Amino acid sequence: MVSLPLDEALHATRVLRLTPGDSIRVFDGGGGEWRAEIAHVKRQQVEVVLREAVAAAREPRIPLVLAPAVLKGEKMDDLVRDAVMLGATAVQPLVTDRTEISIAALARSTRIERWQRIAIASCKQSGRAVVPAIRSPLTFEAWLAEQNSSFRLVLVEPAATADSRAVHDVSEPVSAEMAVGPEGGWTARELAVAESTGVQFVTLGALTLRADAAPIVALTALRTVWRDL
Amino acid sequence: MVSLPLDEALHATRVLRLTPGDSIRVFDGGGGEWRAEIAHVKRQQVEVVLREAVAAAREPRIPLVLAPAVLKGEKMDDLVRDAVMLGATAVQPLVTDRTEISIAALARSTRIERWQRIAIASCKQSGRAVVPAIRSPLTFEAWLAEQNSSFRLVLVEPAATADSRAVHDVSEPVSAEMAVGPEGGWTARELAVAESTGVQFVTLGALTLRADAAPIVALTALRTVWRDL
């Protein structure tokens, strides 16, 4: 017997008006998904019995963390939803030179919890059973300096740097993290710091993409190149 | 000497407050782009002198027409903007079994002119000098029956049909048109009609994408596979 979390219990009873015997799907956020049956409904508590395990959407073979500069308002909500739908392993919000909010202001706000709720909702919509973590925001420099073995990519416009590679030519890593800049792009200072840490700059053809479309296009392009969509 | 179209003339004088001698960029919508100088400003008429031609964003090598089911309200605006930004050769709006507006209602509305304006604005934003046509809406069946030599793709969910191909495995055509379904997807009837006309069904991995994200993801994936982003 498993109890549903409070918000799911309220949704089940007040919105969907489910009663004992009704069949639902539940997932644990770590990859497990089951067909389940409602056993008891008692005020705000809903208990379900797990029946058989069901096959959730396959997770991508190559873990890919998206590290986008925090965009304004709803644009960031859409970005989180789409990144989860496209199989991002985690979302690492970045504060960059041209980001209009500070780490401290983000920490005081309710935006991170909001993105976590959006990530869960996006998993439900897209049939994904693993809920990607929304990591604590970092400055771009702190992200560059982080010690982990993932291959680091930084999305840039073709003219931004001499040393970039087209997305078609990025060979398959064991795991990767990709930073995407804010409205207005990276500053020359940021590009110089990134270059000194040995990241791979990557470009998406000659067109200028909107800041809110670029991460989705880049995720799709990389997964396609790696045959991992 | 060239006169700017009325809306661009008004934008130049009333919003940007440009005066004779100011430098601008103009494009003819057919691939030509120039640096130009404002010569005369007279009420709603702005005349410019073309200086040197400039290099616009390269057009994709493989013409690809996007044929999306008409989505509701602003979602379709976003779709048109993103499709133009990603190099679609034209946009062919489709009315399908689950589309909530009829061809007649679309023809009476101002939506098609609105999408044409959005296409021009998106060209300006993305540095594209060719303005893709927004074609007259067609039913899905009429689109399937159209006589032209473009390779026809229909985006489907993996479970929708037995005979589909992953986007990674769609080899490079001379030119292509791709239909993408509405919220709620294709009906069984539509899939049967499509199958009988010999289209190529194509899938985008196991995840369920939102109707407004699917066309962009599919455009990006195909262009990446064809190394034509």
Side-chain angles (χ1 to χ4, degrees):
Chain A
M1 201 84 83
V2 176
S3 290
L4 296 186
L6 179 62
D7 50 344
E8 299 299 341
L10 292 175
H11 185 70
T13 56
R14 298 194 181 167
V15 181
L16 303 176
R17 305 207 173 267
L18 300 177
T19 53
D22 283 342
S23 189
I24 61 171
R25 291 265 197 125
V26 298
F27 67 108
D28 63 7
E33 184 166 349
W34 296 267
R35 195 180 67 75
E37 208 169 90
I38 299 210
H40 303 290
V41 175
K42 201 174 123 190
R43 287 186 192 159
Q44 298 176 345
Q45 204 182 355
V46 174
E47 291 192 319
V48 304
V49 185
L50 301 187
R51 301 296 185 190
E52 67 282 1
V54 294
R58 181 185 67 77
E59 286 294 304
R61 190 166 37 86
I62 301 166
L64 176 55
V65 173
L66 182 68
V70 175
L71 301 180
K72 291 180 204 162
E74 284 181 16
K75 287 187 180 179
M76 191 66 180
D77 296 354
D78 290 345
L79 197 164
V80 169
R81 187 174 56 234
D82 289 342
V84 169
M85 177 183 81
L86 284 168
T89 307
V91 176
Q92 168 64 68
L94 294 183
V95 168
T96 72
D97 286 351
R98 293 195 178 121
T99 305
E100 299 206 341
I101 189 165
S102 67
I103 299 250
L106 272 175
R108 278 196 310 272
S109 77
T110 57
R111 292 184 78 189
I112 296 165
E113 294 96 85
R114 180 178 167 76
W115 299 333
Q116 281 162 341
R117 284 198 305 275
I118 290 171
I120 294 171
S122 183
C123 282
K124 287 197 218 170
Q125 261 198 316
S126 61
R128 217 180 144 181
V130 176
V131 178
I134 308 294
R135 297 188 179 162
S136 298
L138 289 175
T139 62
F140 182 52
E141 281 89 341
W143 177 78
L144 288 169
E146 255 195 329
Q147 298 295 323
N148 75 35
S149 61
S150 288
F151 180 52
R152 258 144 224 276
L153 297 155
V154 175
L155 188 71
V156 294
E157 307 236 324
T161 161
D163 188 30
S164 61
R165 186 170 292 184
V167 68
H168 319 108
D169 298 320
V170 176
S171 42
E172 192 180 305
V174 175
S175 68
E177 301 204 5
M178 173 169 55
V180 183
E183 293 100 340
W186 306 107
T187 60
R189 192 192 70 79
E190 286 173 325
L191 291 172
V193 174
E195 192 159 22
S196 73
T197 66
V199 300
Q200 174 67 62
F201 292 113
V202 59
T203 63
L204 282 175
L207 295 172
T208 302
L209 302 180
R210 291 182 298 118
D212 41 338
I216 302 315
V217 171
L219 267 184
T220 303
L222 279 178
R223 290 222 180 282
T224 306
V225 170
W226 299 337
R227 301 178 63 92
D228 191 26
L229 196 66
Chain B
M1 200 84 83
V2 176
S3 290
L4 296 186
L6 179 61
D7 51 345
E8 299 298 342
L10 292 175
H11 185 71
T13 54
R14 298 195 182 166
V15 181
L16 302 175
R17 305 207 172 266
L18 299 176
T19 52
D22 284 341
S23 188
I24 61 171
R25 290 264 198 125
V26 298
F27 66 110
D28 62 7
E33 185 166 348
W34 296 266
R35 195 179 68 73
E37 206 168 277
I38 299 208
H40 303 290
V41 174
K42 200 174 126 191
R43 288 188 191 156
Q44 299 174 344
Q45 202 183 357
V46 175
E47 291 191 319
V48 304
V49 185
L50 300 186
R51 300 298 184 190
E52 67 281 2
V54 295
R58 179 185 67 78
E59 286 295 304
R61 189 166 38 86
I62 301 166
L64 176 54
V65 172
L66 183 68
V70 175
L71 302 179
K72 292 179 205 161
E74 284 184 16
K75 287 187 179 179
M76 191 66 180
D77 295 354
D78 290 344
L79 197 164
V80 169
R81 188 174 55 233
D82 290 341
V84 170
M85 176 183 80
L86 285 167
T89 306
V91 176
Q92 169 62 70
L94 294 184
V95 167
T96 72
D97 285 351
R98 293 195 176 121
T99 304
E100 300 206 340
I101 189 166
S102 67
I103 299 248
L106 272 174
R108 278 195 310 272
S109 78
T110 57
R111 291 183 77 189
I112 295 165
E113 295 95 86
R114 180 176 168 77
W115 299 332
Q116 282 163 339
R117 284 199 305 274
I118 289 171
I120 294 171
S122 183
C123 282
K124 286 197 218 168
Q125 262 198 315
S126 61
R128 217 179 145 182
V130 176
V131 178
I134 309 293
R135 297 188 179 162
S136 299
L138 289 176
T139 62
F140 182 51
E141 281 90 340
W143 178 77
L144 288 170
E146 256 194 332
Q147 298 294 326
N148 76 36
S149 62
S150 288
F151 181 51
R152 259 146 223 275
L153 297 155
V154 175
L155 188 71
V156 293
E157 306 235 325
T161 162
D163 189 31
S164 62
R165 186 171 291 183
V167 68
H168 318 110
D169 297 321
V170 176
S171 43
E172 192 179 307
V174 175
S175 67
E177 300 205 6
M178 174 169 55
V180 183
E183 292 99 342
W186 306 106
T187 59
R189 191 191 71 78
E190 286 172 327
L191 291 172
V193 174
E195 193 160 21
S196 73
T197 65
V199 300
Q200 174 67 62
F201 292 114
V202 60
T203 64
L204 282 175
L207 295 173
T208 301
L209 302 180
R210 291 181 297 117
D212 41 337
I216 302 316
V217 171
L219 267 184
T220 304
L222 279 178
R223 289 222 181 282
T224 306
V225 169
W226 299 337
R227 301 179 64 93
D228 192 25
L229 197 66

